[in-house]
Amino acid sequence: MTSQASEQSRVKGTGNTLPSRSESYSIPSDERLTPDKEASTVQKVNEGLFGKFLPRTQTLVDMANRTLPSIILKRKSIREAADEIDKTITELNLAVDIDDYRLLPGGHWIPLSCNPRWKVAIVVPFRNRFHHLPIFLRHIVPLLKRQKLEFSIFIAEQRNDERFNRAMLMNVGFVEALNFTNYDCVVFHDIDQLAINVKNYFGCDNMPRHFISGEAIWEWKLYYEDLFGGVTGLTKQQFYDINGLPNIYWGWGGEDDEFANRVKAKDLKRSRPKGEIGYFDSIVHERNESSPFNEARFCLLGNIGQRRTTDGVSNLRYEQPTIELHPLYTNISVNIQKLPWNPRWKRC
Ligand code: UDP
Ligand code: MN
């Protein structure tokens, strides 16, 4: 989550009454899901959540996936006046009504019985956490439906073996989500976080929101007051105002502290639910070898001011992602690369 947080969790180690992350709860590697097994597990989640609506939903998702490349191509050629992708999908009659919700392929749910207060894009930074995906989906979809939000889940997947870049994936997820629908609120959600309380409302606020007030593994506390990692939400405008997240953090740690700093620098005071409303459980996992510590993080955090307006959504560039619609989520698979270095930034 953040440099500070996890270092302390390691230091804390055995003195803690709760099992540490790497001990009791980790899934042994031989029980981990491969992408194929993951697909069949998500399929079980689909069966559970859609019931009799699943065959029809699956047919519409397949049809939408077949037309998606041409919709995207058309948008590219008429950039300015391009329709949102979901508008075109609706016009093609690819939506299905399920109880009091309308569902568009890609997991976009729109309440029919009320005017939703927020249109929320849930953006999940992701790589190789297939064993977490079904648990996450099974947990969050019913919760968001109970909150009567309009919402969609975007899995922003890093498709290469470079160090994991959580912040840049969040930027990409934000931009790509807005191509589908004009979401007014974006919630960035680590895949291993599970909100315990249905009253933890996933709409936005007039201030950037940190949704976590305590974690089971941290004895229902936060590691430090300024923590702004795990699950955070901003209006579209707030996100543009702070220039999104930095793109230069490759590897684990630091990026969420810079995120918090950007919020503060704009005089935005982050909000957070109080007490048990903001309690989260987390799927405990081993430290990921493919996501080593970013040794440069402390140096980078010392030069935050230089990059605030020059590294973020403002300079974001990436190849066209591969986009795949699923019944419960949209997968945005992207080969993100290092962006050109700005000579005004200090090297770390
Ligand atoms: N993540 C991922 N694959 C990785 C590393 C990170 O999908 O190899 C995503 C995932 O959403 C995860 C989040 O980034 O929950 C934060 O990373 P991680 O869980 O490793 O950090 P922690 O908060 O556990 O220290
Ligand atoms: Mn984690």
Side-chain angles (χ1 to χ4, degrees):
M1 193 170 280
T2 73
S3 13
Q4 238 170 305
S6 182
E7 262 149 24
Q8 288 180 31
S9 76
R10 241 182 303 285
V11 176
K12 257 184 142 183
T14 48
N16 203 329
T17 46
L18 294 161
S20 85
R21 290 173 167 219
S22 54
E23 290 160 21
S24 316
Y25 296 146
S26 352
I27 302 168
S29 21
D30 55 359
E31 287 175 25
R32 292 232 170 105
L33 299 182
T34 59
D36 285 353
K37 280 197 194 157
E38 173 260 333
S40 72
T41 314
V42 172
Q43 185 61 14
K44 290 216 172 68
V45 175
N46 288 343
E47 285 161 15
L49 292 182
F50 288 109
K52 65 174 186 207
F53 293 100
L54 185 56
R56 171 99 185 114
T57 307
Q58 191 64 63
T59 305
L60 295 173
V61 169
D62 294 343
M63 287 166 72
N65 270 318
R66 280 198 292 275
T67 40
L68 189 62
S70 65
I71 300 174
I72 291 172
L73 212 66
K74 196 166 150 220
R75 282 176 55 81
K76 287 217 142 96
S77 58
I78 47 164
R79 250 301 169 212
E80 275 125 70
D83 271 345
E84 293 160 2
I85 295 172
D86 281 351
K87 183 161 179 275
T88 311
I89 287 179
T90 309
E91 282 163 5
L92 293 169
N93 275 324
L94 296 175
V96 57
D97 289 355
I98 301 177
D99 302 328
D100 55 350
Y101 261 92
R102 174 155 300 161
L103 176 72
L104 272 71
H108 180 177
W109 297 87
I110 305 165
L112 295 172
S113 58
C114 64
N115 208 353
R117 174 68 190 82
W118 294 101
K119 291 189 206 190
V120 187
I122 308 274
V123 171
V124 182
F126 181 91
R127 182 171 69 188
N128 197 20
R129 289 280 176 97
F130 298 108
H131 46 304
H132 291 183
L133 183 61
I135 303 170
F136 173 73
L137 294 169
R138 181 67 187 84
H139 187 84
I140 199 164
V141 172
L143 186 142
L144 295 168
K145 286 174 81 177
R146 276 188 64 187
Q147 296 184 348
K148 294 279 176 221
L149 289 160
E150 175 171 347
F151 67 92
S152 190
I153 297 169
F154 294 89
I155 302 288
E157 178 183 29
Q158 182 168 336
R159 193 185 59 232
N160 60 39
D161 293 329
E162 303 297 327
R163 285 174 169 221
F164 191 67
N165 189 333
R166 177 173 173 271
M168 189 167 174
L169 289 169
M170 286 154 72
N171 284 338
V172 172
F174 171 83
V175 171
E176 290 295 321
L178 290 178
N179 288 339
F180 278 83
T181 294
N182 193 13
Y183 291 99
D184 48 24
C185 168
V186 57
V187 172
F188 299 102
H189 204 310
D190 283 358
I191 198 156
D192 53 12
Q193 297 300 312
L194 306 170
I196 290 176
N197 198 321
V198 73
K199 289 188 194 147
N200 196 349
Y201 182 62
F202 276 82
C204 277
D205 201 340
N206 58 352
M207 290 296 166
R209 192 156 173 85
H210 185 229
F211 292 88
I212 309 177
S213 65
E215 292 264 359
I217 48 158
W218 297 335
E219 296 167 352
W220 308 112
K221 292 190 181 72
L222 290 175
Y223 262 110
Y224 53 102
E225 175 58 23
D226 282 346
L227 184 72
F228 199 59
V231 188
T232 49
L234 293 88
T235 64
K236 181 179 74 169
Q237 194 55 49
Q238 288 161 357
F239 194 73
Y240 278 127
D241 286 347
I242 64 163
N243 193 22
L245 290 108
N247 297 304
I248 46 162
Y249 284 80
W250 297 86
W252 185 93
E255 84 293 343
D256 46 3
D257 290 332
E258 181 154 340
F259 192 22
N261 180 280
R262 287 179 178 214
V263 168
K264 266 197 181 151
K266 279 277 167 193
D267 282 333
L268 297 168
K269 198 173 166 308
R270 64 123 187 80
S271 74
R272 182 183 282 154
K274 284 201 173 54
E276 61 189 35
I277 291 183
Y279 284 178
F280 275 71
D281 227 330
S282 55
I283 308 169
V284 179
H285 56 86
E286 289 159 12
R287 172 124 300 291
N288 201 330
E289 279 144 39
S290 69
S291 178
F293 288 119
N294 177 2
E295 303 82 8
R297 67 191 185 282
F298 298 113
C299 170
L300 289 169
L301 285 169
N303 303 308
I304 283 178
Q306 302 174 343
R307 291 185 308 268
R308 234 175 245 136
T309 55
T310 46
D311 182 34
V313 270
S314 61
N315 66 332
L316 183 67
R317 299 282 179 282
Y318 52 92
E319 294 175 4
Q320 171 62 42
T322 305
I323 303 178
E324 215 174 72
L325 308 170
H326 294 256
L328 290 174
Y329 66 97
T330 295
N331 199 85
I332 312 277
S333 176
V334 61
N335 178 17
I336 45 172
Q337 296 292 332
K338 292 206 166 83
L339 298 172
W341 193 267
N342 183 322
R344 280 181 307 218
W345 303 337
K346 189 180 158 225
R347 292 228 173 240
C348 281

